[in-house]
Amino acid sequence: MRIAILVSGNGSNLQAIIDAVAEDQLPNIEIACVIADRNCYAIERALDAEIPMFYVERETNLSATVHEICNEEDVELIVLAGFLSILSAEFCKEWQNQIINLHPSLLPKYGGIGMYGNKVHQAVIAAQDKQSGVTVHYVTEHIDGGEIILQQPFDIPENATAEDLAKIVSELEKPLLIKALYQLSQE
Ligand code: GRF
């Protein structure tokens, strides 16, 4: 299964996939390309691993450009790994059941527009929730609303801050993403 990994930031999840492929944990997966929508450290990780890398401008035809790249690279699954641009409804329909996303909460809680990164963790702390977690889900035109593939909950430690949650999430999300990719590549 040829995958495209879309990134906007540090790329620690991209690195986890690169490492899992190198260590033969994902025998049916081949990273076709990495697509970045801004200057970010993830680009360096892709270049270091000698993976074809595309930079797309954050303009109105971003989805069309990503569509073209994925078609040209024979991509079968698109992985949003910290990708911050919103893909168009048309694109999500075209690639239905072929786009997955990683979200740092137990969806459907704390999803939707504006809910990303630390904002999610701050909302969880403000609500005094006892649990949070990580979700891998399909992407549809409804932001964070697609079918859930896998979730990993965790108990929130007493007096935890948003930064503490971010650290726990960062550790839990990698194995969950790899597990989801393994599962999808076996189907
Ligand atoms: C992750 O925490 C993920 O849950 C969210 O964005 C972050 C990306 O981190 N969607 P990185 O760029 O993979 O390090």
Side-chain angles (χ1 to χ4, degrees), residues 8 37-38 58 62 80 83-87:
S8 301
D37 69 346
R38 65 199 73 199
R58 276 179 282 152
L62 175 136
L80 308 187
F83 190 64
L84 293 175
S85 290
I86 305 292
L87 294 159

Side-chain angles (χ1 to χ4, degrees), residues 4 21 31 85 94 110 114 152 157 182:
V21 169
I31 306 174
S85 290
E94 183 84 36
Y110 310 108
Q152 175 71 60
Y182 182 82

Side-chain angles (χ1 to χ4, degrees), residues 7-14 42 45 80-84 101-104 117 121 134 169-170 173-174:
V7 294
S8 301
N10 175 30
S12 63
N13 288 285
L14 164 67
R45 296 184 192 267
L80 308 187
F83 190 64
L84 293 175
N101 182 44
L102 190 56
H103 188 81
H121 306 311
V134 189
V169 160
S170 174
E173 65 188 357
K174 275 96 184 164

Side-chain angles (χ1 to χ4, degrees), residues 63-74:
S63 295
T65 311
V66 173
H67 178 75
E68 255 171 52
I69 297 167
C70 289
N71 270 339
E72 269 165 32
E73 295 292 325
D74 291 323

Side-chain angles (χ1 to χ4, degrees), residues 112-116 119-120 143:
I113 210 147
M115 271 293 174
Y116 58 88
K119 294 186 184 178
V120 172
I143 295 171

